[in-house]
């Protein structure tokens, strides 16, 4: 580690240990609260997925008939919404199962650099930069911690066509489920079909950027991912039926919508994450409470010690002033020549000189009274004074 890295680490450690670790305690408490909130969300999602029925595409109609028999026997305008289900099926383009002339030419997407076909196509171009080191070999770890301060290094485009889930291994498909992607921000089970890293040739500008420590591009990573036709996936969401056509839509409270995992695998994955989040919240919360408690006790004791010292100093100053005034009063009990009388009270002997003018004009009691004024000024020259000095006879 270089000298600059050591200095940066020392500064960060001093900031982290400010107020006897209060900053670290607050950061740990924030992480603990976030872990607890995520634990509650994952625990709720675990119970919902565990209680949701796992069905095939052809089983939806029997589920609908058992929940509401009027939907099947009634008019086609009736609908049934709001029940969470887990459906396992195969991806197929919607145009291929509509049963009309569109099925002769299915509406699918083709990857640009391969012959793969799918219903979702994501193309990503990522600009890869060198490790950021400055003119004095300053490391760039802070830029990785705060990515928002970096330039955008990735551009992505997403295209999709309407698609459905059909029963695996059956043709023609008598039943299918429309997949509604509106408002879904869940991760997609995409498959990488193209991956290519192209190096960027150096230019004079790149040479200057390298000399002055600026990051410069060294390569461009081009990727294409698709949701291919015929892929078996699991959809977790709320289903609805309208005009005899089933549709499934994502649920914002669940971490899954379209996934490669089965219901049992989802339950195992969620149970593990829930347990990790629970123990993380408990451990980090306990450490945060301990650190904050230590910080509060230390700062409270430090404040009491400072207050005690201040009160003791005030008492010492008051006792010293009283002693000086008493001594001054004892000295002034005799006759005082006219030339040595205080110019304010004309009773006591001159004992104090003003700073910065230096006039020796007042007794100590009157000098202290002048000092306590809002705008203290010398009674002789009217110059603003800062303090007074006790003058002792040799």
């Amino acid at each position: 580690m270089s000298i600059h890295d050591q200095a940066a680490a020392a500064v960060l450690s001093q900031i982290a240990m400010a107020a006897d670790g209060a900053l670290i305690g607050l950061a740990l408490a924030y992480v603990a609260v976030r872990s607890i909130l995520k634990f509650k969300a994952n625990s709720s999602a675990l119970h919902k997925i565990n209680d949701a029925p796992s069905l095939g595409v052809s089983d939806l109609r029997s589920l609908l008939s058992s929940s509401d028999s009027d939907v099947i026997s009634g008019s086609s305008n009736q609908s049934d919404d709001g029940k969470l289900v887990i459906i396992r099926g195969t991806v197929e383009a919607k145009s291929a199962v509509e049963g009309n002339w569109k099925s002769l030419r299915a509406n699918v997407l083709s990857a640009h650099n391969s012959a793969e076909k799918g219903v979702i196509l994501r193309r990503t171009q990522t600009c890869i930069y060198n490790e950021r080191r400055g003119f004095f070999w300053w490391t760039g770890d802070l830029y990785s911690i705060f990515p928002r301060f970096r330039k955008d290094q990735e551009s992505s485009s997403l295209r999709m066509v309407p698609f459905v889930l059909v029963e695996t291994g059956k043709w023609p498909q008598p039943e299918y489920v429309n997949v509604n992607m509106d408002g879904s921000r869940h991760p997609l089970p995409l498959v990488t079909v193209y991956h290519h890293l192209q190096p960027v040739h150096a230019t004079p500008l790149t040479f200057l950027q390298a000399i002055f420590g600026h990051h410069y591009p060294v390569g461009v990573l081009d990727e294409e991912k698709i949701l291919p036709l015929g892929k078996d996936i699991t959809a977790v969401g709320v289903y609805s039926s309208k005009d005899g056509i089933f549709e499934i839509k994502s649920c914002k409270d669940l971490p899954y919508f379209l996934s490669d995992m089965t219901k049992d695998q989802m339950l195992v994955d969620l149970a593990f994450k829930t347990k990790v989040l629970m123990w993380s919240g408990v451990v980090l919360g306990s450490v945060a409470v301990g650190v904050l408690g230590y910080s509060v006790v230390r700062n409270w004791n430090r404040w009491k010690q400072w207050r005690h010292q201040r009160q003791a100093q005030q008492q010492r100053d008051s006792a010293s002033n009283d002693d000086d005034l008493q001594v001054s009063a004892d000295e002034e009990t005799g006759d005082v020549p006219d030339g040595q009388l205080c110019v304010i009270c004309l009773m006591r002997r001159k004992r104090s000189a003003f700073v910065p003018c230096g006039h020796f004009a007042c007794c100590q009691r009157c000098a202290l009274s002048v000092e306590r004024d809002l705008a203290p000024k010398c009674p002789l020259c009217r110059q603003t004074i800062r303090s007074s000095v006790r003058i002792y006879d040799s």
Side-chain angles (χ1 to χ4, degrees):
M1 183 180 290
S2 64
I3 297 177
H4 297 282
D5 294 339
Q6 293 178 357
V11 171
L12 291 176
S13 63
Q14 290 178 0
I15 295 175
M17 293 304 296
D20 292 319
L23 186 61
I24 293 180
L26 292 175
L28 291 175
Y30 173 76
V31 176
V33 171
R34 289 291 302 271
S35 298
I36 295 298
L37 293 178
K38 289 183 179 180
F39 160 74
K40 293 179 64 177
N42 281 5
S43 180
S44 176
L46 179 62
H47 291 297
K48 289 181 179 180
I49 293 178
N50 187 40
D51 296 337
S54 181
L55 307 169
V57 177
S58 59
D59 300 327
L60 270 179
R61 192 168 294 277
S62 61
L63 176 66
L64 184 61
S65 62
S66 63
S67 61
D68 189 359
S69 59
D70 294 335
V71 175
I72 298 178
S73 61
S75 63
S76 60
N77 293 329
Q78 292 179 347
S79 64
D80 178 72
D81 303 324
K83 189 168 184 178
L84 183 68
V85 295
I86 301 174
I87 302 174
R88 184 75 177 179
T90 303
V91 176
E92 185 59 74
K94 184 178 180 181
S95 58
V97 298
E98 285 181 338
N100 53 27
W101 62 271
K102 293 182 180 180
S103 61
L104 300 176
R105 185 177 180 183
N107 185 18
V108 296
L109 300 175
S110 299
H112 295 79
N113 298 287
S114 66
E116 299 288 340
K117 297 183 181 298
V119 293
I120 298 178
L121 172 62
R122 173 176 288 169
R123 185 174 184 183
T124 305
Q125 286 187 334
T126 306
C127 188
I128 301 176
Y129 289 83
N130 70 313
E131 183 181 0
R132 185 184 178 97
R133 287 185 177 274
F135 189 76
F136 296 102
W137 299 98
W138 180 264
T139 184
D141 293 337
L142 293 178
Y143 289 90
S144 61
I145 298 176
F146 303 103
R148 67 179 62 182
F149 297 107
R150 299 180 300 176
K151 295 181 179 179
D152 292 334
Q153 300 182 2
E154 180 179 292
S155 62
S156 178
S157 62
L158 181 67
R159 296 174 56 197
M160 63 178 64
V161 296
F163 65 99
V164 297
L165 295 181
V166 298
E167 195 72 28
T168 305
K170 289 186 179 181
W171 185 263
Q173 300 295 338
E175 300 286 350
Y176 61 90
V177 179
N178 286 327
V179 179
N180 189 345
M181 298 293 295
D182 295 340
S184 173
R185 297 183 178 273
H186 297 79
L188 299 172
L190 303 180
V191 178
T192 302
V193 295
Y194 181 75
H195 182 93
H196 179 67
L197 179 61
Q198 181 179 359
V200 175
H201 299 290
T203 62
L205 178 60
T206 305
F207 178 72
L208 293 176
Q209 289 174 333
I211 289 179
F212 290 100
H214 297 288
H215 64 301
Y216 54 89
V218 296
V220 176
L221 179 62
D222 194 356
E223 286 185 315
E224 286 186 356
K225 297 182 179 181
I226 66 170
L227 182 60
L229 299 175
K231 181 179 177 62
D232 292 335
I233 62 173
T234 303
V236 183
V238 178
Y239 85 97
S240 62
S241 174
K242 188 175 183 180
D243 297 333
I245 298 176
F246 297 102
E247 183 179 86
I248 188 167
K249 189 175 182 180
S250 65
C251 183
K252 295 181 180 179
D253 297 334
L254 301 180
Y256 308 110
F257 178 38
L258 302 179
S259 176
D260 293 322
M261 296 185 291
T262 63
K263 177 181 177 180
D264 293 336
Q265 291 173 337
M266 291 180 186
L267 292 176
V268 172
D269 183 59
L270 272 178
F272 175 75
K273 291 180 179 179
T274 302
K275 187 177 295 184
V276 170
L277 289 171
M278 181 189 69
W279 285 109
S280 298
V282 170
V283 173
L284 292 176
S286 301
V287 175
V289 170
V291 173
L292 289 175
Y294 170 78
S295 176
V296 168
V297 171
R298 288 276 297 177
N299 284 281
W300 175 257
N301 292 333
R302 186 177 298 174
W303 180 80
K304 289 197 300 183
Q305 183 179 4
W306 172 81
R307 186 180 64 176
H308 178 71
Q309 291 177 354
R310 183 178 179 182
Q311 291 177 350
Q313 182 66 32
Q314 291 176 350
Q315 291 177 358
R316 286 195 298 269
D317 293 342
S318 177
S320 177
N321 292 334
D322 293 340
D323 293 341
D324 292 340
L325 292 176
Q326 184 65 32
V327 171
S328 177
D330 293 340
E331 292 177 351
E332 294 162 357
T333 54
D335 294 334
V336 180
D338 292 341
Q340 296 183 9
L341 286 174
C342 171
V343 297
I344 296 178
C345 65
L346 298 176
M347 294 174 57
R348 292 178 290 272
R349 189 186 298 271
K350 299 178 181 178
R351 291 298 183 188
S352 297
F354 293 110
V355 178
C357 65
H359 284 124
F360 182 61
C362 299
C363 63
Q364 190 174 3
R365 185 173 298 177
C366 292
L368 292 175
S369 177
V370 171
E371 283 185 42
R372 295 191 182 101
D373 291 340
L374 295 177
K377 293 182 180 180
C378 175
L380 297 182
C381 65
R382 308 304 298 170
Q383 180 180 349
T384 302
I385 63 172
R386 294 195 300 267
S387 62
S388 62
V389 179
R390 173 75 159 84
I391 305 299
Y392 294 93
D393 295 334
S394 57

